[in-house]
């Protein structure tokens, strides 16, 4: 169940204690044991307000952040030279959950209506008002089949267990598309202390306090970073550099999308993919050891590093349904599926009765949905280890990288025990134990082990005043949805790469005295074990594209002695057919005050359709289409939900999230 507000409030005095400690470190003076006296600490304190307004929504962010960065050099300590201590604290309060609570807070959602393209007299009414079919607005739950009634789904009796009322809901994907004959279901959207339905324990189960102040949690994220550095010099001029503590480890040479830079998970709930990675990486407790050989007979510089992430595993924060930023809308799909598993519910346009159209169908608890998330507990085997060889030769920088880690995105593994809603015995909780069914849309979330090898390179080409950045990685162990497999997932090796180009360029008609920065990147992804087949009603297999590319372009200018800096960032997803354009202007009003005004606009195709497993036939013969055998798998009938999101991509799934943005930063 949910953590109480009283328990959450314990972090407040802890935060105050850390602030006191930080101030103490900053002002301690005098010499300490060692060869060098303490240096004065550098203390930076920054307040930031980010206010965003989203089209058709209103306020989507009113985030207030206080950042404290303390850096102190301690000099020589024992065998270590250049010992330093760094502490970064960050605390946030996002008022959008109170100021716009009808959309994101305790009053979000409402009663919804699910599409049903065939009318069924006498059927049970499902989730009340909202989206309906333009040809038949009746919303109905299929009744009267073996198993009886609504298969154990209870939306009317508050005194009964697993009560799933029609309130605080949205229809999955409704902000982006109509159901249009496809499947859909209701999703709870209120914070988990207000409405616990669909909240996945220890993964997507944030209270309102945790959503509006995400750093104050049981992982102590208000301690943004806290690490010690130092180096041990050797007689031959080489050295061993050490960095231990809570930190970010940056591998690779790219922006926006990651290829090698996968050691730290990312908080996409902060601003989807659009914030600087420095601000949205989730720091982890890590030890780095780097042997710095310096110049050798072959290389101008050579280093060898070992990275050990010994922290307890953390996945990406993909955004909880009901919050402003839910990448791929995946958090809403997962919350709705968890609610279906726990409490039952209605799925639009699901059953084929041999009549024109498809019937909205009620499912009871433990029949379809997401059962639970298997988050790896801490053990030595669950830690993550990487090695990197880095050097330079004739002006060309390079690295060779290898890493074993846990996938930071969940895999939906089918094949879990579930109940057959069409079995008059098995549909009842007190009757025989459930068992797995092939091709059934019932899952557990797992975070599989992934192994990565790769490398990077950057080279400067003076003749064209350009720097080129290259990066590539091959992984094995990643898992993807796959409707051709009985458990509805499979592994694939993945090859990712990026080619980047940076160049200062004069554009005389815009600025005769100062060059613009032009930076372009081409990202690519190739699934080596991709599976896709044509079936009678459409394609079945992996919804992820076998090959895809995303192109990004940055154009940044400088005026008024670099105090005024306009820029535009663009990104285009080729297979998703989606583009985002983000113009902004930075104005450094003074050395302490910076204002940024910008926008984020998306254009493109938007939602995409793919096989949704309605014709997977797990409960043969009740769920069989005409002529379909018990192990034939899906026939390819599809819709927008739930797998079209992987074809639309993160830009395509955010087509209705155009924003105006204002950011103010003040440095004390």
């Amino acid at each position: 169940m949910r953590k109480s507000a009283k328990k959450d409030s314990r972090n407040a005095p802890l935060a105050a204690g850390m602030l006191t400690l930080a101030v103490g470190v900053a002002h301690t003076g005098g010499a300490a044991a060692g060869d060098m006296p303490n240096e004065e600490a550098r203390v930076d304190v920054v307040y930031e307000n980010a206010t965003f307004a989203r089209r058709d929504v209103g306020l989507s962010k009113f985030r207030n952040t206080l950042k404290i960065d303390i850096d102190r050099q301690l000099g020589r300590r024992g065998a270590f030279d250049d010992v330093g201590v760094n502490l970064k604290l960050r605390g946030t309060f996002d008022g959008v959950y109170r100021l716009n609570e009808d959309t994101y807070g305790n009053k979000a959602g409402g009663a919804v209506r699910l599409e049903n393209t065939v009318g069924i007299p006498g059927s049970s009414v499902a989730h009340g008002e909202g989206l309906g079919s333009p040809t038949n607005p009746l919303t109905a739950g299929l009744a009267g089949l073996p198993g009886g009634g609504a298969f154990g789904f209870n939306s009317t009796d508050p005194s009964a267990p697993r009560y799933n009322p029609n309130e605080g809901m949205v229809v999955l994907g409704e902000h982006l598309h109509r159901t249009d004959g496809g499947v859909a279901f209701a999703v709870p959207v209120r914070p988990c202390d207000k409405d616990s339905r669909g909240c996945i324990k220890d993964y997507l189960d944030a209270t309102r306090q945790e959503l509006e102040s995400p750093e104050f949690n049981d992982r102590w994220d208000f301690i943004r970073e806290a690490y010690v550095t130092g180096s041990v010099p050797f007689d031959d001029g080489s050295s061993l550099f050490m960095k231990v503590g809570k930190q970010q480890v940056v591998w690779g040479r790219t922006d926006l999308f990651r290829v090698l830079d996968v050691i730290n998970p990312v908080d996409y709930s902060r601003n989807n993919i659009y914030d600087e990675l420095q601000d949205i990486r989730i720091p982890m407790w890590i030890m780095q050891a780097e042997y710095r050989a310096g110049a050798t007979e072959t290389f101008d510089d050579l280093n060898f590093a070992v990275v050990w992430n010994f922290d307890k595993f953390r996945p990406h924060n993909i955004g909880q349904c009901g919050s402003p930023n839910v990448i791929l809308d995946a958090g809403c799909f997962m919350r709705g599926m968890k609610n279906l598993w726990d409490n039952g519910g209605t799925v639009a346009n699901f059953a084929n009765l041999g009549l024109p159209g498809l019937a909205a169908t009620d499912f009871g608890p433990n029949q379809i949905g997401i059962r639970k998330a298997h988050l790896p507990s801490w053990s030595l085997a669950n830690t993550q280890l990487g090695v990197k060889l880095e050097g330079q030769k004739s002006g060309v920088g390079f690295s060779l990288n290898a890493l074993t880690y846990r996938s930071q995105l969940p895999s939906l593994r089918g094949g879990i025990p579930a109940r057959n809603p069409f079995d008059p015995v098995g549909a009842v909780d007190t009757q025989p134990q459930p068992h797995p069914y092939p091709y059934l849309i019932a899952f557990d979330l797992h975070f599989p082990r992934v192994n990565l090898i790769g490398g990077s390179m950057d080279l400067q080409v003076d003749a064209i005043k350009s720097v080129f950045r290259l990066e590539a990685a091959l992984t094995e162990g990643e898992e993807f949805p796959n409707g051709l497999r009985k458990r509805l997932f499979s592994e694939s090796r993945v090859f990712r790469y990026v080619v980047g180009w940076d160049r200062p360029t004069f554009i005389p008609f815009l600025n005769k005295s100062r060059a613009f920065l032009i930076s372009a990147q081409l990202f690519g992804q190739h699934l080596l074990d991709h599976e896709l087949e044509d079936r009678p009603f459409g394609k079945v297999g992996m919804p992820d594209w076998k090959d895809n590319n995303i192109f990004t372009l940055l154009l940044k200018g400088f005026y008024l002695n670099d105090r005024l800096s306009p820029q535009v960032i663009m990104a285009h997803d080729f297979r998703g057919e989606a583009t985002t354009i983000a113009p902004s202007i930075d104005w450094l009003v003074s050395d302490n005050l910076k204002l940024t005004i910008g926008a984020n606009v998306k254009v493109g195709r938007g939602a995409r359709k793919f096989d949704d497993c309605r014709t997977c036939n797990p409960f043969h013969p009740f769920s069989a289409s005409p002529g379909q055998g018990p192990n034939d798998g899906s026939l390819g009938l599809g819709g927008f939900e739930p797998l079209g999101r992987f074809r639309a991509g993160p830009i395509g799934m955010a087509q209705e999230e155009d924003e105006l943005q204002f950011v103010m930063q003040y440095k004390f």
Side-chain angles (χ1 to χ4, degrees):
M1 297 299 293
R2 303 298 317 133
K3 294 186 285 289
S4 67
K6 182 177 180 181
K7 181 178 179 181
D8 291 334
S9 68
R10 295 176 187 173
N11 285 319
L14 185 57
M18 287 303 302
L19 182 58
T20 302
L21 172 63
V23 173
V25 171
H27 293 288
T28 301
D35 298 331
M36 295 179 62
N38 291 343
E39 297 183 10
E40 287 295 323
R42 178 181 60 83
V43 181
D44 293 325
V45 180
V46 176
Y47 165 75
E48 177 186 276
N49 172 268
T51 302
F52 295 179
R54 183 168 295 175
R55 179 166 56 90
D56 300 327
V57 170
L59 191 70
S60 59
K61 190 180 300 295
F62 188 68
R63 186 182 68 214
N64 300 274
T65 304
L66 184 66
K67 296 181 278 190
I68 302 174
D69 187 351
I70 302 170
D71 186 6
R72 184 164 194 170
Q73 298 302 310
L74 301 178
R76 185 180 179 88
R77 290 292 183 271
F80 288 88
D81 278 351
D82 304 323
V83 174
V85 177
N86 188 275
L87 177 65
K88 292 184 171 78
L89 306 177
R90 186 172 83 180
T92 295
F93 178 79
D94 191 344
V96 72
Y97 296 97
R98 299 173 189 257
L99 297 174
N100 193 2
E101 66 176 355
D102 289 342
T103 304
Y104 301 118
N106 288 346
K107 297 180 181 179
V112 300
R113 185 176 187 174
L114 297 175
E115 186 179 78
N116 180 54
T117 55
V118 58
I120 308 169
S123 58
S124 63
V125 175
H127 290 289
E129 300 298 328
L131 294 183
S133 164
T135 58
N136 183 0
L138 172 67
T139 296
L142 180 62
L145 292 181
F151 301 141
F153 164 41
N154 167 35
S155 62
T156 59
D157 183 3
S159 64
R162 295 177 171 176
Y163 175 49
N164 192 9
N166 184 19
E167 59 188 37
M169 299 280 203
V170 300
V171 176
L172 181 64
E174 71 173 30
H175 68 291
L176 186 61
H177 58 76
R178 295 189 67 86
T179 306
D180 194 27
V183 301
F185 43 82
V187 183
V189 291
R190 293 173 180 172
C192 287
D193 55 334
K194 181 68 174 180
D195 186 350
S196 63
R197 290 177 297 170
C199 297
I200 303 175
K201 179 177 171 55
D202 297 328
Y203 181 45
L204 295 171
D205 62 347
T207 64
R208 187 177 71 172
Q209 182 272 322
E210 290 169 327
L211 291 171
E212 61 192 9
S213 297
E215 290 88 2
F216 298 102
N217 55 31
D218 55 8
R219 298 293 290 257
W220 294 12
D221 283 342
F222 63 87
I223 306 175
R224 178 90 181 136
E225 297 185 35
Y227 58 81
V228 178
T229 61
S231 59
V232 179
F234 300 119
D235 293 339
D236 61 358
S238 62
S239 64
L240 178 66
F241 173 78
M242 300 286 293
K243 184 177 181 180
V244 181
K246 194 174 188 181
Q247 57 183 291
Q248 302 181 44
V249 176
V250 182
W251 278 9
R253 306 163 193 271
T254 61
D255 302 314
L256 199 63
F257 295 96
R258 310 191 310 163
V259 176
L260 291 173
D261 185 16
V262 296
I263 294 176
N264 293 84
V266 171
D267 182 4
Y268 291 112
S269 72
R270 191 170 174 88
N271 192 22
N272 208 309
I273 61 174
Y274 304 111
D275 273 3
E276 295 285 346
L277 282 169
Q278 179 70 22
D279 292 325
I280 61 175
R281 287 191 198 92
I282 300 174
M284 303 286 284
W285 290 96
I286 294 172
M287 181 184 73
Q288 292 189 73
E290 182 176 326
Y291 175 68
R292 297 175 173 176
T296 68
E297 293 182 0
T298 305
F299 298 99
D300 301 329
D301 188 45
L302 193 66
N303 307 312
F304 177 76
V306 176
V307 177
W308 180 31
N309 181 349
F310 56 86
D311 205 346
K312 183 181 179 180
F313 171 78
R314 290 189 74 167
H316 292 316
N317 186 345
I318 61 173
Q320 181 170 297
C321 193
S323 58
N325 296 299
V326 185
I327 190 169
L328 283 175
D329 205 39
C332 288
F333 163 68
M334 293 179 189
R335 186 167 184 178
M337 289 285 281
K338 176 62 172 170
N339 183 45
L340 285 175
W341 178 267
D342 288 343
N343 303 305
T346 303
V347 180
N349 302 319
F350 191 88
N352 176 12
L353 302 181
L355 300 173
L358 293 161
T361 306
D362 286 342
F363 289 91
N366 305 148
Q367 294 172 6
I368 63 172
I370 291 175
R371 183 176 62 169
K372 62 181 178 180
H374 295 267
L375 288 161
S377 59
W378 192 94
S379 69
L380 192 60
N382 280 334
T383 60
Q384 304 173 70
L385 183 67
V387 293
K388 178 176 72 168
L389 180 67
E390 187 173 37
Q392 188 170 2
K393 173 68 174 179
S394 302
V396 178
F398 68 90
S399 74
L400 299 174
N401 307 67
L403 179 69
T404 178
Y405 66 107
R406 287 278 188 173
S407 172
Q408 295 149 348
L409 287 173
S411 170
L412 281 79
R413 293 183 180 177
I416 67 170
R419 298 189 182 276
N420 183 345
F422 299 97
D423 183 340
V425 176
V428 181
D429 282 352
T430 58
Q431 295 301 319
Q433 291 298 312
H435 63 85
Y437 292 88
Y439 303 108
L440 179 62
I441 49 177
F443 308 96
D444 279 356
L445 300 180
H446 289 262
F447 299 85
R449 171 70 62 175
V450 177
N451 298 313
L452 174 150
I453 58 171
S456 67
M457 180 182 297
D458 62 62
L459 60 153
Q460 184 169 327
V461 182
D462 293 332
I464 57 174
K465 300 178 181 179
S466 297
V467 173
F468 291 93
R469 296 172 282 114
L470 309 174
E471 193 171 328
L474 176 68
T475 66
E476 65 90 18
E478 293 188 61
E479 296 176 358
F480 298 86
N482 187 349
L484 294 173
R485 302 296 184 92
K486 291 184 178 182
R487 295 185 64 192
L488 300 179
F489 80 96
S490 65
E491 287 189 11
S492 179
R493 295 163 295 164
V494 184
F495 178 67
R496 297 183 177 91
Y497 62 89
V498 62
V499 179
W501 170 63
D502 303 319
R503 188 183 192 275
T505 303
F506 279 97
I507 306 177
F509 72 92
L510 293 177
N511 192 334
K512 295 181 180 179
S513 60
R514 188 73 162 85
F516 285 75
L517 172 63
I518 299 177
S519 179
Q521 298 177 122
L522 180 68
F523 297 83
Q525 176 174 288
H526 173 65
L527 273 62
L528 279 72
D529 304 300
H530 192 266
E531 296 181 1
L532 195 66
E533 290 184 8
D534 288 318
R535 294 289 174 88
F537 299 143
K539 295 185 181 298
V540 178
M542 292 181 172
D544 295 79
W545 300 102
K546 180 177 182 179
D547 293 285
N548 194 18
N549 292 97
I550 297 176
F551 176 75
T552 70
L553 177 66
L554 165 69
L555 179 65
K556 187 176 181 66
F558 305 90
Y559 296 89
L560 302 179
N561 294 321
D562 296 347
R563 287 190 174 272
L564 192 68
S565 179
Q567 72 173 29
V568 61
I569 300 174
M570 294 176 284
H572 177 70
D573 184 332
F574 286 91
R575 299 305 299 270
E577 300 180 46
T579 303
T580 184
I581 305 169
S584 64
I585 298 176
D586 292 338
W587 179 25
L588 191 60
V589 181
S590 68
D591 291 343
N592 300 93
L593 178 62
K594 177 182 176 182
L595 303 178
T596 302
I597 300 174
N600 192 303
V601 180
K602 294 90 174 174
V603 295
R605 179 171 174 173
R608 307 295 291 271
K609 291 186 176 182
F610 195 74
D611 170 48
D612 53 32
C613 213
R614 274 178 290 178
T615 53
C616 277
N617 189 27
F619 304 122
H620 188 80
F622 302 107
S623 57
S625 298
Q628 189 177 24
N631 294 303
D632 290 346
S634 178
L635 300 179
L637 182 64
F640 293 119
E641 300 297 342
L643 298 181
R645 66 194 70 249
F646 296 106
R647 299 218 138 193
I651 299 174
M653 287 300 295
Q655 287 292 298
E656 300 301 319
E657 297 178 5
D658 297 346
E659 288 181 326
L660 294 176
Q661 303 172 342
F662 173 79
V663 179
M664 185 272 288
Q665 289 184 338
Y666 186 82
K667 182 178 179 180
F668 294 92

